[in-house]
Amino acid sequence: MVIYFLEVLTTSNIYRALSDSTRKRILSLLAKEEKTQKQLVEYFKVSQPAINKQLKILKEEDLITERKSGRYRYYSLNRPVFSMAYQKMIEEIGQMLDQTLHGLKDFVESEEKEID
Amino acid sequence: MVIYFLEVLTTSNIYRALSDSTRKRILSLLAKEEKTQKQLVEYFKVSQPAINKQLKILKEEDLITERKSGRYRYYSLNRPVFSMAYQKMIEEIGQMLDQTLHGLKDFVESEEKEID
DNA sequence: TTAATATATAACTAAATGGTTATATATTTT
DNA sequence: AAAATATATAACCATTTAGTTATATATTAA
């Protein structure tokens, strides 16, 4: 018998991922375009192993993807996962504030009126 | 000469606050109604000093407010601050995903069409 | 094939985290 | 005034975190 483990999507991990400024900046960079670990190391003022560790964490959270090419590893934002986590986050916090996504839409519309 | 320090509003702290499940649950409870520390301690399976510490952290982040009455301390969600942090979060991550608040509005609308 | 380069890993460190128990302080109740 | 109760704090602990340096491995370039 084969037992399948279904990864339960939680938002807690994305909060953790984003709570560190290095990781947040890495995600922000990778959102623009894929980068090698080398490029990321050059960009930040921390050591290569430090970046390697953070990338490992982000990979474990499935927030980034890795593509190997020769001696390089290219990293990019895992948009579907990140986007999904984002939406869950919005819902989760929105519920605390009694604001659903649709409530937020109304909020945006009311802001638009103020600007007009 | 008087020097004023202006607290720079960042979203980093809300990620940290929400990255711990106890804190997240406290915030969620306080979003519904104010509670004394005692009530929170009864609710959770952790010690009173543990809750006291988390409340201290949330107070430092200005995400909750404290009201003293007799020997009780009443805590509630600091809605303006929490709501503002929420909006900044949405903007910050939205930018990574090339989704502004207004982009999100369109997203919600397209979802509504699917449901209809 | 050797040198250079990109990444991975091991071993370590200091600080932060999230909890504990014991005890002190403040306030109310009896 | 004494007992009960709510909160605060001190001292401690185990684990995690985010970094470091040194070194190993994999791949490419000379």
Side-chain angles (χ1 to χ4, degrees):
Chain A
M1 185 174 80
V2 182
I3 299 173
Y4 294 94
F5 289 92
L6 182 66
E7 175 85 26
V8 176
L9 283 181
T10 59
T11 49
S12 37
N13 297 336
I14 202 184
Y15 294 126
R16 183 189 164 242
L18 291 166
S19 70
D20 177 76
S21 71
T22 301
R23 280 195 296 270
K24 191 154 74 178
R25 290 171 68 209
I26 289 176
L27 287 171
S28 186
L29 279 177
L30 297 185
K32 295 200 203 87
E33 53 186 341
E34 72 171 6
K35 294 220 181 307
T36 66
Q37 187 183 122
K38 185 75 204 309
Q39 290 176 304
L40 292 170
V41 171
E42 278 160 6
Y43 194 89
F44 293 96
K45 296 161 290 301
V46 292
S47 67
Q48 177 261 322
I51 295 295
N52 190 285
K53 272 193 186 181
Q54 301 299 5
L55 288 172
K56 206 171 225 169
I57 290 171
L58 293 172
K59 260 188 292 173
E60 278 163 10
E61 309 277 19
D62 204 27
L63 292 172
I64 61 173
T65 56
E66 186 187 272
R67 175 171 76 80
K68 198 182 171 184
S69 169
R71 62 181 150 177
Y72 296 95
R73 300 276 172 122
Y74 288 89
Y75 294 95
S76 30
L77 189 70
N78 189 342
R79 255 162 224 284
V81 169
F82 192 73
S83 176
M84 187 62 73
Y86 174 55
Q87 284 167 46
K88 293 196 95 187
M89 255 176 50
I90 290 175
E91 275 299 329
E92 183 173 74
I93 306 179
Q95 271 172 29
M96 291 192 206
L97 290 164
D98 298 319
Q99 285 178 352
T100 60
L101 256 184
H102 298 82
L104 181 67
K105 197 197 91 181
D106 297 339
F107 167 78
V108 174
E109 275 169 355
S110 71
E111 263 205 335
E112 277 172 347
K113 286 211 188 75
E114 276 170 34
I115 293 163
D116 293 344
Chain B
M1 185 173 75
V2 182
I3 299 174
Y4 295 95
F5 288 91
L6 182 66
E7 174 88 24
V8 176
L9 284 181
T10 60
T11 49
S12 34
N13 298 338
I14 202 184
Y15 296 123
R16 180 185 167 245
L18 291 166
S19 70
D20 177 74
S21 72
T22 300
R23 281 195 296 271
K24 191 154 75 179
R25 291 172 67 207
I26 289 176
L27 287 171
S28 187
L29 279 176
L30 297 185
K32 295 199 203 88
E33 53 186 340
E34 74 172 4
K35 293 218 182 308
T36 66
Q37 188 183 120
K38 184 77 203 310
Q39 291 176 303
L40 292 170
V41 171
E42 277 161 8
Y43 194 89
F44 294 96
K45 295 160 291 299
V46 292
S47 66
Q48 176 261 323
I51 295 295
N52 190 285
K53 271 192 186 180
Q54 300 300 5
L55 288 172
K56 206 171 226 170
I57 289 171
L58 292 172
K59 261 188 291 175
E60 278 164 10
E61 309 277 20
D62 203 26
L63 292 173
I64 61 173
T65 57
E66 188 187 272
R67 176 171 76 78
K68 198 182 168 181
S69 169
R71 62 181 150 177
Y72 296 95
R73 301 278 170 121
Y74 288 90
Y75 294 94
S76 31
L77 189 70
N78 189 343
R79 254 160 223 286
V81 168
F82 192 73
S83 175
M84 188 61 73
Y86 175 54
Q87 284 166 47
K88 294 196 94 189
M89 233 181 63
I90 291 175
E91 275 299 330
E92 181 174 74
I93 305 180
Q95 269 171 29
M96 292 193 205
L97 290 165
D98 298 320
Q99 287 179 351
T100 61
L101 256 185
H102 297 81
L104 181 66
K105 197 197 92 184
D106 296 340
F107 167 78
V108 174
E109 276 169 354
S110 71
E111 262 203 336
E112 278 172 345
K113 283 207 189 79
E114 276 170 34
I115 292 162
D116 293 343

